[in-house]
Amino acid sequence: EPEVTQTPSHQVTQMGQEVILRCVPISNHLYFYWYRQILGQKVEFLVSFYNNEISEKSEIFDDQFSVERPDGSNFTLKIRSTKLEDSAMYFCASSGVTGTEAFFGQGTRLTVV
Amino acid sequence: GQQLNQSPQSMFIQEGEDVSMNCTSSSIFNTWLWYKQDPGEGPVLLIALYKAGELTSNGRLTAQFGITRKDSFLNISASIPSDVGIYFCAGQLNFGNEKLTFGTGTRLTIIP
C-alpha cells in the first residue's frame, strides 16, 4: 500500500542551526502538507503546497520556515534557525485529486537543544 | 480560529465494550475525518465524511457527520486491544487543498 515516508525519524540539533526535514509523498498525490505536534498536544497545520507553490500557511509558519519540492518526488521543510520551541513531531501529509483525505507519514521528531 | 473539542478526553474500558466519542466545533466544517494515532507514529485515517447526516462504517468503526455540520461522532464496537491509542477528529472547511483543523483528541485505554 502506498505510503508517505519521512526522513530522518529523529533529528537532534543545536539552537540556531538549520534543519531540513524530508518527505516522499504518495506518488500520484497533488497536495502536500506539513503539520507539527508538540508533545502531548494536538496536531497543528503549518503549510499546504500545490502546483509548486504555497497555497496556505499558518501563523506558526513564519520567515524561519520554508518548503520546497526540489524534484518530482521529494517535499522538504526547512527551518532556518531553530529555536527551543521548534521541538516537536513534524508530519508530512499528502492528498490526491480531491485534496480531502490526507495521508500522514510516520513523522520526524525534532529536538532542539 | 476554529476550535474542535473532543470528549471525553480519555476513556478506560474493558475489552469487548463499545466506545463512543464526539467532536464539536465552534464553526461549520464541510468535511469531517477521524484519525487514530499510536505512540510515536503519524495519524492514520480511519473514516472520512462528506455530507451532513452521513453515517459511514469501516469494520467495527462507525462515524456520523452531524446535521448542524458542527459535530461528528465515532463509535467503536466490541473493542479489542489494538484499538488503544489517541483518536483525533479533523475538520476541513472546503474541498481541495484545504488545511485540516484537528481536535484535542480522545485517549482510549483498554483495561485487561
Side-chain angles (χ1 to χ4, degrees), chain B residues 6 12 23 30 42 53 61 79 85 88 91 109:
Chain B
Q6 288 186 241
F12 295 84
C23 181
N30 289 310
L61 276 60
S79 56
F88 288 100
T109 303

Side-chain angles (χ1 to χ4, degrees), chain B residues 5-27:
Chain B
N5 293 309
Q6 288 186 241
S7 64
Q9 280 189 325
S10 57
M11 304 182 75
F12 295 84
I13 62 165
Q14 292 199 315
E15 185 178 345
E17 284 185 32
D18 296 344
V19 171
S20 289
M21 59 187 80
N22 67 34
C23 181
T24 56
S25 168
S26 55
S27 52

Side-chain angles (χ1 to χ4, degrees), chain A residues 39-84:
Chain A
L39 187 64
Q41 297 187 21
K42 65 180 183 179
V43 178
E44 300 175 288
F45 170 78
L46 291 178
V47 66
S48 58
F49 192 87
Y50 171 72
N51 205 22
N52 286 319
E53 60 182 22
I54 290 174
S55 46
E56 188 174 0
K57 56 186 181 179
S58 72
E59 291 172 355
I60 304 167
F61 194 89
D62 62 22
D63 291 344
Q64 294 300 312
F65 291 86
S66 62
V67 290
E68 202 175 39
R69 189 155 160 81
D71 53 43
S73 59
N74 292 288
F75 181 50
T76 61
L77 174 70
K78 183 194 290 187
I79 309 175
R80 205 173 351 261
S81 177
T82 49
K83 305 189 276 283
L84 293 176

Side-chain angles (χ1 to χ4, degrees), chain A:
Chain A
E1 188 171 321
E3 59 181 16
V4 177
T5 57
Q6 291 185 241
T7 54
S9 56
H10 192 185
Q11 171 109 34
V12 181
T13 188
Q14 287 202 320
M15 194 168 55
Q17 295 294 305
E18 174 184 287
V19 295
I20 297 176
L21 310 183
R22 301 180 192 279
C23 169
V24 179
I26 293 172
S27 64
N28 61 348
H29 279 186
L30 301 175
Y31 302 93
F32 313 111
Y33 313 87
W34 284 99
Y35 289 79
R36 81 168 186 194
Q37 185 179 34
I38 293 170
L39 187 64
Q41 297 187 21
K42 65 180 183 179
V43 178
E44 300 175 288
F45 170 78
L46 291 178
V47 66
S48 58
F49 192 87
Y50 171 72
N51 205 22
N52 286 319
E53 60 182 22
I54 290 174
S55 46
E56 188 174 0
K57 56 186 181 179
S58 72
E59 291 172 355
I60 304 167
F61 194 89
D62 62 22
D63 291 344
Q64 294 300 312
F65 291 86
S66 62
V67 290
E68 202 175 39
R69 189 155 160 81
D71 53 43
S73 59
N74 292 288
F75 181 50
T76 61
L77 174 70
K78 183 194 290 187
I79 309 175
R80 205 173 351 261
S81 177
T82 49
K83 305 189 276 283
L84 293 176
E85 54 264 37
D86 293 328
S87 295
M89 282 287 279
Y90 286 82
F91 294 108
C92 173
S94 67
S95 56
V97 289
T98 63
T100 49
E101 297 177 16
F103 293 86
F104 284 74
Q106 80 280 18
T108 292
R109 179 174 296 284
L110 177 66
T111 303
V112 183
V113 296

